Amino acid sequence: MEKTSAAASKNVNVDELDFSRAEDQIKALEAFRANAIPNLEADFRTNYKGKAGRKIGIVGGDRKYSGAPYFAAMAACKAGADLVHVFCHEEAARAIKSYSPDLIVHGCMKDERDLLETKEDMKEKLHNFEPKEREDWLIENILLENCREILSRMDAMVIGPGLGRDRVMWACAKKCFEVARQRNIPVVFDADALFMIDTSSAWSEDNEMEKYKSHNGYVVFTPNVREYTYGFDPNNPCGTTMSHVRSFLELGRRCGILHSGHRIYPSILAKGVDDIYVHLDGSQEGPIRFGNIPGSKKRCGGQGDILSGVLAVFLAWSAEQYRREFEQRDAEHATIEKAKDHFRRSSKLACFCASKLTREAARRAYEKQKRSLQSSDILLELPSALEDLFPSDVVDFNDKDDENMNNNNANNNNNNNNNNNNNSSRRTKVKRERNY
């Protein structure tokens, strides 16, 4: 990859890029590396756990599905996350804990069977509650009691892998989304969460409105071709898709998830032969096709989960970039329009880079495994693909620093040559003395 200066990389106009051209794809990768990805080499003395890689939460995994949340979580790990927590059903938790010690697994989510058992145990305490109030109180105060504080620490969240179709699991996922919006962190909706949103009855309308202070955040929906029918069709962003997303967000406000002044910036990253990006806030943009990015020629379960985990990390880095550049450094001049423009561009860039990395890892895995390819093989290729696309040993792209570095290297080489010559002279002298 040809090196570009820091100023040029940071000031790339994302709106002018053609994401199907190889040259522009390189510019996009370098822009994301220069602007969003933490610099490990420069900041390693001040890094602490969770600072550079951030903390990612995966919400999903019912009694039957433990693989999907595992793939999403491990993809987040391999993409650069420092800590990854999985919030799932206790039966899925047992399996996921046995898959990898790198994940922190919480078996805090419950299903309808658990709810019935819990109600039976607490009949006396719930005697004065109405049936609907009993369910809400149990989910709020019992089922998620041990995980709410941990959920609030996350820097990004993926909701959906292995979530299933159980209404109580959906209610738990809704509570997780409420915490995410309180914390103003990016949220990726994938898999069963898209069906959950399509089924509007999953969202209760009886909760009181709760006002939050924060105003900006990413929400990305990642449907595959079959899930387009849930109302997330990137080829029809101005029709049913836009009305569907607006209905979901408006329902979220009625549920107390969003305050009327709380702005979120929804996008779609649709998976297919070519991944397609659509930005859905106000000035709708897209569909933008991420073309000419080779991937695996075999489709197997778990590839979409890997993409969602990678995307969560990249959005967490983009959100940190926003806080660094707008909320801290330029808070006085930050406006809704500036924020809107930043989230639109950075969301598009993060989605492209996540798509590129996932497809590159899948391509490498397919070249080795062919018909035997599984998603676990793609996970093995993520680290090398990540390092090739976003090298971590580059401290700065600045041309002046590169020149100084080259001069220092030249001086060091001269010094090493002089030292080698001196050492050689000493050895020759000692040898001669011994001969005498």
Side-chain angles (χ1 to χ4, degrees), residues 185-202:
I185 63 174
V187 180
V188 178
F189 283 101
D190 187 40
D192 290 320
L194 300 175
F195 183 78
M196 174 183 70
I197 294 170
D198 186 43
T199 308
S200 58
S201 61

Side-chain angles (χ1 to χ4, degrees), residues 52 82 253:
D82 285 348
R253 291 189 176 94

Side-chain angles (χ1 to χ4, degrees), residues 38 40 48 50-56 76 80-83 155 313 316-317:
L40 295 179
Y48 53 83
K51 178 184 177 184
R54 317 307 295 166
K55 303 177 289 295
I56 308 300
D82 285 348
L83 295 169
D155 296 301
V313 177
W317 286 341

Side-chain angles (χ1 to χ4, degrees), residues 300-314:
C300 55
Q303 293 187 51
D305 303 308
I306 291 174
L307 174 63
S308 66
V310 172
L311 180 58
V313 177
F314 286 9

Side-chain angles (χ1 to χ4, degrees), residues 163-395:
L163 184 63
R165 305 290 174 90
D166 185 273
R167 67 180 184 86
V168 178
M169 287 286 290
W170 286 1
C172 292
K174 189 196 85 167
K175 292 296 181 183
C176 295
F177 181 52
E178 289 183 12
V179 174
R181 300 318 309 148
Q182 286 177 353
R183 286 274 292 112
N184 195 29
I185 63 174
V187 180
V188 178
F189 283 101
D190 187 40
D192 290 320
L194 300 175
F195 183 78
M196 174 183 70
I197 294 170
D198 186 43
T199 308
S200 58
S201 61
W203 304 89
S204 167
E205 300 184 31
D206 298 328
N207 298 336
E208 294 183 1
M209 179 68 72
E210 185 174 357
K211 297 183 179 181
Y212 306 134
K213 295 180 180 179
S214 52
H215 296 278
N216 302 296
Y218 301 91
V219 170
V220 180
F221 307 98
T222 56
N224 58 30
V225 175
R226 180 176 59 83
E227 291 160 346
Y228 289 4
T229 60
Y230 297 162
F232 299 96
D233 187 350
N235 300 306
N236 184 25
C238 296
T240 57
T241 298
M242 191 64 226
S243 62
H244 193 87
V245 171
R246 282 175 178 166
S247 298
F248 161 64
L249 296 179
E250 183 59 32
L251 185 57
R253 291 189 176 94
R254 295 200 302 270
C255 293
I257 298 173
L258 302 173
H259 178 247
S260 58
H262 186 126
R263 296 188 62 84
I264 64 175
Y265 299 89
S267 303
I268 291 176
L269 176 59
K271 297 166 286 190
V273 176
D274 293 323
D275 292 347
I276 301 173
Y277 174 84
V278 180
H279 187 71
L280 297 171
D281 179 67
S283 57
Q284 175 265 325
E285 179 184 19
I288 298 172
R289 190 174 297 274
F290 298 154
N292 298 318
I293 305 177
S296 168
K297 295 178 182 179
K298 179 188 175 184
R299 293 296 301 174
C300 55
Q303 293 187 51
D305 303 308
I306 291 174
L307 174 63
S308 66
V310 172
L311 180 58
V313 177
F314 286 9
L315 289 175
W317 286 341
S318 298
E320 178 60 25
Q321 177 197 0
Y322 173 80
R323 285 189 287 270
R324 187 172 61 246
E325 295 186 0
F326 286 85
E327 293 185 355
Q328 296 175 9
R329 189 172 62 192
D330 196 25
E332 295 182 359
H333 300 93
T335 63
I336 290 179
E337 288 304 316
K338 280 187 177 181
K340 182 177 178 180
D341 190 56
H342 169 85
F343 277 89
R344 179 181 59 79
R345 295 186 181 191
S346 60
S347 175
K348 177 166 56 177
L349 195 59
C351 286
F352 166 76
C353 291
S355 173
K356 175 73 174 178
L357 174 58
T358 305
R359 283 175 170 264
E360 175 61 18
R363 182 193 67 79
R364 297 183 184 196
Y366 177 78
E367 289 300 317
K368 294 179 180 179
Q369 305 299 335
K370 298 298 183 180
R371 293 184 188 275
S372 299
L373 174 77
Q374 297 298 316
S375 289
S376 54
D377 300 314
I378 299 175
L379 286 179
L380 295 176
E381 298 297 328
L382 271 177
S384 60
L386 177 69
E387 187 61 23
D388 289 343
L389 294 178
F390 310 102
S392 59
D393 59 353
V394 178
V395 177

Side-chain angles (χ1 to χ4, degrees), residues 29-47:
L29 295 174
E30 292 185 343
F32 188 70
R33 181 175 59 176
N35 287 289
I37 297 182
N39 193 327
L40 295 179
E41 299 296 326
D43 302 331
F44 75 96
R45 293 184 181 278
T46 58
N47 276 343

